[in-house]
Amino acid sequence: MPGRTAQNEGATTATRILDVAEGLLQTRGYNGFSYADIASELDVTKAALHYHFPTKADLGEALVTRYAERFMKALAAIEAGDDDPRAKLDAYADLYAQVLQGRRMCMCGMLAAEYQTLPEPMRARVLAFFDENVVWLERVLERGRVGGVLAFRGSAAEAAMLIVDAMEGTMLVSRSYADPARFRSVAGGLLDGLVGGRPDAAPTGS
Amino acid sequence: MPGRTAQNEGATTATRILDVAEGLLQTRGYNGFSYADIASELDVTKAALHYHFPTKADLGEALVTRYAERFMKALAAIEAGDDDPRAKLDAYADLYAQVLQGRRMCMCGMLAAEYQTLPEPMRARVLAFFDENVVWLERVLERGRVGGVLAFRGSAAEAAMLIVDAMEGTMLVSRSYADPARFRSVAGGLLDGLVGGRPDAAPTGS
DNA sequence: GTCTATAACGAGATAGAC
DNA sequence: GTCTATCTCGTTATAGAC
């Protein structure tokens, strides 16, 4: 990739703005960065940013829309693979683990914290992201149960919500410790305990 | 309680400031409220607030310190009870459920999202809060396992981290949906699946 | 301990030249 | 499409009277 810089020189300006703003949003939150921050990283003026994204609400909506679309494509890619259901769940957890690199939080988890301060269009996108995650997981879980390779208590919908919420939560906490290994340990332990798919290790000590 | 108002007229001014600021912090985040917001709710001037808490960092540190102390006292109260370990875990989840009323997020979960923008003293308090939660849970889990009433995979430390992280995560997501029932369902499902303590319902479909 | 007043700065946003 | 310049407002914080 010749000529590429940290700000992705080969891309359109709008895309480069989104790339920088995305990093700031996932690191500092929607209320934790300004147009001035983006401008200084890209070495352009604030006015130029307002040409591409007139208001911060416009920018925020574009950011969460792009993020959600990219995430759904990644889910579709996992879906298309020929792995077994447990491997799909591991791949799902790995999506979050990748985001956690560079001390980034899941964008929608971050926005969930700031939910009460968000413009309405952003709120709707955040909830849609969680809904779509739950639907995807529900399908994987249900198929795994029908196929006899996954076993879990309760409904697939409840298990799916638990997985989404636990991913967001352990990401949130592990990021504060700057410890991606903590995330991997907790996420792996959740999947082991929830759906099995491995030789059932006898609980120790009893 | 005669003479009490929503702003707790009977308390000292510093306490009333903390009460209002606490609600704002847990609802909107540290970067989502200002001294002007507190002043308008209490009907005092911003200057009066700065007398009690010179800087916002001072206020933030006082808030997280008070919150953590109160939470640890609640944990000690559960510890002192003669309930069985599973009941203690349910009581633990109920602490979070109570916070979620009024659309509030756990203060330290909220601050974990904003971690990168926090002054160092606040950061340390947030991590200490999580550490103390894990230590408390670890003890409950270990005693339950030794006593034969709890069974879970892996180490007590890993299970404790999973519980803390999942509580924070499901709180974060459920609050966006304004749906405390969602929290209760997911938190209950986690404890059922993780530690049992109930008749082992056979997984369906396999 | 609380007030008025204001300083000092940064945020989001716009006008108009180039 | 990007710039300079500017505007308005909100935010944190301080000085000094009461």
Side-chain angles (χ1 to χ4, degrees), chain B residues 40-189:
Chain B
S40 77
E41 274 199 51
L42 280 177
D43 214 39
V44 296
T45 63
K46 291 184 291 171
L49 304 181
H50 279 287
Y51 169 79
H52 295 278
F53 302 98
T55 72
K56 197 179 178 184
D58 294 327
L59 174 60
E61 200 182 336
L63 284 169
V64 63
T65 299
R66 188 179 73 152
Y67 183 86
E69 278 175 3
R70 228 198 269 125
F71 205 92
M72 293 317 132
K73 276 182 192 161
L75 293 189
I78 295 173
E79 190 57 41
D82 56 341
D83 291 314
D84 69 352
R86 173 58 203 257
K88 285 196 205 300
L89 294 179
D90 285 332
Y92 179 80
D94 202 52
L95 283 183
Y96 284 90
Q98 285 166 33
V99 172
L100 194 57
Q101 304 302 329
R103 301 201 68 160
R104 290 195 193 194
M105 175 65 192
C106 168
M107 187 188 287
C108 289
M110 182 67 90
L111 293 175
E114 301 178 289
Y115 192 82
Q116 304 275 39
T117 72
L118 298 182
E120 174 52 34
M122 290 185 71
R123 291 186 181 188
R125 300 267 181 199
V126 169
L127 294 191
F129 175 85
F130 294 136
D131 287 342
E132 287 161 351
N133 271 259
V134 167
V135 165
W136 186 88
L137 282 166
E138 220 178 320
R139 266 195 217 129
V140 172
L141 289 167
E142 200 52 68
R143 285 180 196 162
R145 176 141 72 178
V146 169
V149 289
L150 294 184
F152 51 92
R153 295 172 203 244
S155 68
E158 272 179 33
M161 286 191 282
L162 172 57
I163 292 173
V164 171
D165 295 4
M167 291 292 151
E168 294 291 349
T170 191
M171 202 167 186
L172 187 73
V173 177
S174 297
R175 189 188 65 127
S176 297
Y177 286 97
D179 187 358
R182 187 185 185 286
F183 172 87
R184 267 182 269 272
S185 166
V186 172

Side-chain angles (χ1 to χ4, degrees), chain A residues 26-194:
Chain A
Q26 292 184 251
T27 305
R28 303 177 53 87
Y30 183 73
N31 296 321
F33 77 95
S34 71
Y35 272 45
D37 296 326
I38 308 168
S40 78
E41 274 200 51
L42 281 176
D43 214 38
V44 296
T45 62
K46 289 188 292 170
L49 305 180
H50 279 287
Y51 170 77
H52 294 280
F53 302 97
T55 71
K56 197 180 178 186
D58 293 327
L59 174 61
E61 201 182 335
L63 284 169
V64 62
T65 299
R66 187 178 76 152
Y67 183 85
E69 278 174 3
R70 228 198 268 125
F71 205 92
M72 293 316 131
K73 276 181 191 163
L75 293 188
I78 296 173
E79 191 56 41
D82 57 340
D83 290 315
D84 69 353
R86 173 56 203 258
K88 285 196 204 300
L89 294 179
D90 285 332
Y92 179 80
D94 202 54
L95 283 184
Y96 285 90
Q98 284 167 31
V99 172
L100 195 57
Q101 304 300 330
R103 301 201 68 160
R104 290 195 192 194
M105 174 64 192
C106 168
M107 187 187 288
C108 289
M110 182 67 89
L111 293 176
E114 301 177 291
Y115 193 82
Q116 305 275 38
T117 72
L118 298 182
E120 173 52 34
M122 291 184 72
R123 292 186 180 187
R125 300 266 182 202
V126 169
L127 295 191
F129 175 86
F130 293 136
D131 286 342
E132 287 161 350
N133 271 259
V134 167
V135 165
W136 186 88
L137 282 165
E138 221 178 320
R139 266 194 217 130
V140 171
L141 289 167
E142 199 52 67
R143 285 181 197 162
R145 176 140 72 176
V146 169
V149 288
L150 292 185
F152 52 91
R153 294 173 205 243
S155 69
E158 272 179 33
M161 286 191 283
L162 172 58
I163 292 172
V164 171
D165 296 3
M167 291 292 150
E168 295 292 349
T170 190
M171 202 168 187
L172 188 74
V173 177
S174 297
R175 189 188 64 126
S176 296
Y177 287 96
D179 186 358
R182 187 184 185 287
F183 172 86
R184 267 182 268 273
S185 166
V186 172
L190 168 72
L191 295 179
D192 287 347
L194 184 71

Side-chain angles (χ1 to χ4, degrees), chain B residues 7 13 16-22 24 33-53 59:
Chain B
Q7 285 80 41
T13 301
R16 295 199 302 145
I17 293 168
L18 288 173
D19 290 343
V20 169
E22 181 174 86
L24 288 165
F33 77 95
S34 70
Y35 272 45
D37 296 326
I38 308 169
S40 77
E41 274 199 51
L42 280 177
D43 214 39
V44 296
T45 63
K46 291 184 291 171
L49 304 181
H50 279 287
Y51 169 79
H52 295 278
F53 302 98
L59 174 60

